[in-house]
Amino acid sequence: MSTTPAGLQRQLNALQLFCEQRQLSVNLAKTKVVTFGSRAKCQTFTFNGNEVERVQSYKYLGFEFHATKSLAHGVSKLVSAANKAMHAMNRRCAFLHISDPKQRCNLFDNLVLPILSYASEVWAVDEGVGKAAEQLHRQFLKHVLCVRGNTANLIVLAEFGRYPLCFHWWQQILRYHNRINTLSDDERLLKCAFVEGLHDPTHRFWSHDVLLPREHRSCLVCGSDRAEDEHHFVFDCPAYCSIRDRFTAIFWGPAPSLSSFFTLHDPRVIAKLLHECFAHRSMLLEDLLAVPQH
């Protein structure tokens, strides 16, 4: 993996030298190049004098990555496979006359959920990516209850005493984080990459939002040492002063607690405030990341 075409070609050359020294061979039929980004230029890469095929998507360790699409593309492939497994399970249950809801949920958790949760440590941090998997889960529960598809999702989940799949995925994410933290060898590549990502100020690493110690969650927008928590975002961050000035009616007097702030004021006004602040934050972070790093 490389961030530049020249860097990738050097890696291919190094791999070729390594294979020659050890009399190894590389199967070019299974070797592909994926250039991520919609603006990526066409580039030819060679290995041992032969061109390496460039493709739009590639399945790596069971998860399919696409050159221009988000991780939702790979999740859609998992959902498709899980859907087939779910229908096969339902047919088998019908053949064996298994109708007990608890038993069928256990079967779902053992036969279908592992497919829906594959590599969730990587993609489930983005809440929107797993929507299709959540929908398949609710579809199964409604099928077991024999209710309409437009039945309220919360009622269906409450009837089974189950939670949305995102709770299971976050358990997987936290376990993965703990496994990396407990690795005894600090020189291992996995742990080195994890630690480097945590301390990269130009890249929002996947664990920054929930796993980084509070003293290191400094606000990137205002550049202060203050942690970018909810209270700082709503009341204190100077980057949003001009926006707060347009909402003086809800900021009159000393800053209350967050709970009273959201309770005492019109939720529509608060929603408009937060929407403008988040949009301004995204613009500022884009400008920050666009600055060349030396």
Side-chain angles (χ1 to χ4, degrees), residues 141-284:
L141 297 179
K142 292 175 182 180
H143 173 75
V144 174
L145 282 179
C146 299
V147 297
R148 294 181 179 180
N150 59 357
T151 305
N153 297 327
L154 289 178
I155 294 177
V156 174
L157 290 170
E159 185 69 23
F160 283 93
R162 294 173 69 89
Y163 293 96
L165 296 184
C166 61
F167 285 80
H168 173 73
W169 296 333
W170 273 107
Q171 287 180 336
Q172 298 287 95
I173 292 169
L174 294 172
R175 291 193 188 106
Y176 180 62
H177 171 262
N178 290 336
R179 286 200 301 271
I180 296 177
N181 265 346
T182 54
L183 288 176
S184 58
D185 187 0
D186 291 339
E187 299 299 323
R188 293 185 64 174
L189 182 60
L190 176 61
K191 190 163 187 178
C192 290
F194 177 76
V195 173
E196 181 180 346
L198 282 177
H199 296 89
D200 185 354
T202 65
H203 179 63
R204 203 65 174 172
F205 201 56
W206 66 269
S207 61
H208 268 93
D209 296 329
V210 295
L211 302 175
L212 199 61
R214 181 180 179 83
E215 60 270 19
H216 296 306
R217 300 179 198 169
S218 57
C219 181
L220 296 178
V221 178
C222 66
S224 67
D225 294 333
R226 294 285 305 276
E228 192 184 18
D229 56 13
E230 293 85 352
H231 194 280
H232 176 77
F233 178 80
V234 175
F235 299 111
D236 301 331
C237 187
Y240 313 114
C241 286
S242 59
I243 299 176
R244 295 192 197 96
D245 290 342
R246 299 199 301 272
F247 294 86
T248 54
I250 61 176
F251 285 105
W252 182 83
S257 65
L258 276 174
S259 58
S260 61
F261 178 77
F262 287 114
T263 304
L264 296 175
H265 301 294
D266 188 344
R268 291 171 296 183
V269 176
I270 295 178
K272 185 177 180 181
L273 165 73
L274 296 179
H275 175 75
E276 292 189 20
C277 287
F278 274 113
H280 188 58
R281 180 181 185 273
S282 298
M283 182 187 66
L284 292 176

Side-chain angles (χ1 to χ4, degrees), residues 22 60 83 103 210 220 251 287 291:
R22 290 160 179 80
Y60 180 70
N83 188 44
Q103 190 172 0
V210 295
L220 296 178
F251 285 105
D287 293 341
V291 176

Side-chain angles (χ1 to χ4, degrees), residues 38-137:
S38 57
R39 298 181 181 180
K41 297 180 180 179
C42 294
Q43 180 79 20
T44 300
F45 298 95
T46 60
F47 180 84
N48 197 19
N50 299 311
E51 181 178 346
V52 181
E53 181 184 1
R54 179 178 174 179
V55 295
Q56 285 294 304
S57 62
Y58 187 78
K59 181 177 287 188
Y60 180 70
L61 297 179
F63 189 85
E64 186 167 315
F65 294 90
H66 196 276
T68 58
K69 298 179 181 178
S70 68
L71 292 176
H73 171 80
V75 176
S76 67
K77 301 295 182 181
L78 298 179
V79 172
S80 177
N83 188 44
K84 295 178 182 178
M86 184 185 73
H87 285 297
M89 181 193 72
N90 287 335
R91 289 194 298 269
R92 194 63 178 170
C93 287
F95 178 77
L96 297 175
H97 304 289
I98 299 175
S99 58
D100 179 58
K102 183 177 180 179
Q103 190 172 0
R104 294 187 66 174
C105 286
N106 288 335
L107 289 171
F108 180 91
D109 291 341
N110 285 279
L111 299 175
V112 182
L113 183 58
I115 303 175
L116 292 177
S117 302
Y118 184 77
S120 59
E121 297 87 347
V122 175
W123 56 260
V125 290
D126 186 347
E127 295 180 2
V129 171
K131 286 183 177 179
E134 294 277 18
Q135 184 177 359
L136 184 66
H137 177 221

Side-chain angles (χ1 to χ4, degrees), residues 1-49:
M1 182 177 292
S2 177
T3 56
T4 63
L8 181 59
Q9 186 59 59
R10 284 196 298 269
Q11 292 179 2
L12 290 172
N13 295 339
L15 176 62
Q16 177 184 342
L17 180 61
F18 177 87
C19 293
E20 289 176 352
Q21 292 174 346
R22 290 160 179 80
Q23 298 183 353
L24 300 175
S25 61
V26 173
N27 187 352
L28 286 181
K30 296 182 179 180
T31 304
K32 312 295 179 183
V33 171
V34 179
T35 306
F36 294 97
S38 57
R39 298 181 181 180
K41 297 180 180 179
C42 294
Q43 180 79 20
T44 300
F45 298 95
T46 60
F47 180 84
N48 197 19

